[in-house]
């Protein structure tokens, strides 16, 4: 199964991806996670990424497309496909992705479009806590860890992303509206779009999608 997760910041892409990657045995490729790892390691790419991420802006298309191309050319053995989370984010990236997938003869199956309302988005983003060690996502009230500040999965420390503050969230929403939303039409015209009500909890969506994908074989 080859999937793209599309939706505004805070729609629950990362949380849903966490459930689907195991049940569908697919590789979860999160552009945000890749960039944050580079930032943690203080690489040249990490330093460049930080400037954009701190402002809530998008990195140049060529930079992120190159990263995805390298990932897709080297699939992890034992995985039955991939789930792209946070890529593509512009129509140009979507076109470049199609070209890469044509080259490796593996077209997308579905684009999961998570639709969420603004109050839900703000509540999710301001309460989001992420494990510094393994990247697992929690929420201060919706999905609290068993021990405050500690990851259930690996015992690592939880932190609040620097770009999850109100001012940067506003910029990220504007960027989403202007740069990312036009992709919806692009995939609609390819008949690949699967709209989902992301105000619902990701556990519910994961069960529904697993049923759908298993039915289709
Ligand atoms: P995310 O973790 O998906 O919310 O991404 C965090 C930040 O990483 C975004 O606000 C952008 O600054 C950057 N980023 C992630 N994916 C992309 C992309 N496909 N194109 C450009 N910038 C990206």
């Amino acid at each position: 199964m080859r999937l793209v997760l599309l939706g505004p910041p805070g729609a629950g892409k990362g949380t849903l991806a966490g459930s689907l990657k195991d049940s569908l045995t697919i590789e979860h490729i999160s552009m945000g996670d890749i960039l944050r790892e580079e930032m943690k390691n203080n690489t040249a790419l990490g330093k460049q990424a930080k400037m954009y991420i701190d402002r809530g802006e998008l990195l140049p298309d060529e930079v992120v497309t190159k990263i995805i191309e390298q990932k897709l050319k080297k699939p992890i053995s034992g995985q039955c496909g991939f789930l792209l989370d946070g890529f593509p984010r512009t129509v140009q990236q979507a076109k470049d992705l199609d070209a890469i997938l044509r080259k490796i003869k593996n077209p997308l199956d579905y684009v999961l479009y998570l639709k969420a309302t603004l109050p839900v988005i703000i509540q999710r983003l301001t309460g989001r806590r992420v494990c510094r060690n393994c990247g697992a996502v929690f929420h201060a009230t919706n999905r609290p860890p068993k021990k405050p500040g500690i990851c259930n999965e690996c015992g690592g420390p939880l932190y609040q992303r620097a770009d999850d503050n109100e001012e940067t969230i506003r910029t990220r929403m504007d960027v989403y509206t202007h740069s990312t939303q036009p992709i919806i039409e692009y995939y609609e015209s390819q008949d690949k779009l699967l709209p989902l009500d992301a105000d619902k909890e990701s556990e519910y969506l994961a069960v529904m999608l697993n049923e759908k994908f298993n039915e289709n074989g």
Side-chain angles (χ1 to χ4, degrees), residues 8-10 13 30-33 35-36 39 49-61 64-65 68 85-90 93 125 128 161 163-164 168 172 175:
K13 297 189 290 295
S30 158
M31 181 53 72
D33 285 353
L35 297 173
R36 279 184 291 277
M39 280 163 60
K50 186 171 165 34
M51 292 191 310
Y52 291 93
I53 292 180
D54 283 353
R55 292 198 298 255
E57 293 169 6
L58 296 182
L59 276 81
D61 289 336
V64 286
T65 302
I68 286 295
D85 162 5
F87 186 95
R89 262 177 152 110
T90 65
Q93 290 178 19
L125 288 177
R128 173 158 70 181
R161 277 171 47 173
D163 58 346
D164 279 348
T168 314
R172 288 159 67 202
V175 168

Side-chain angles (χ1 to χ4, degrees), residues 21 56-57 90 122 133:
K21 74 172 170 44
E57 293 169 6
T90 65
I122 302 281
N133 188 34

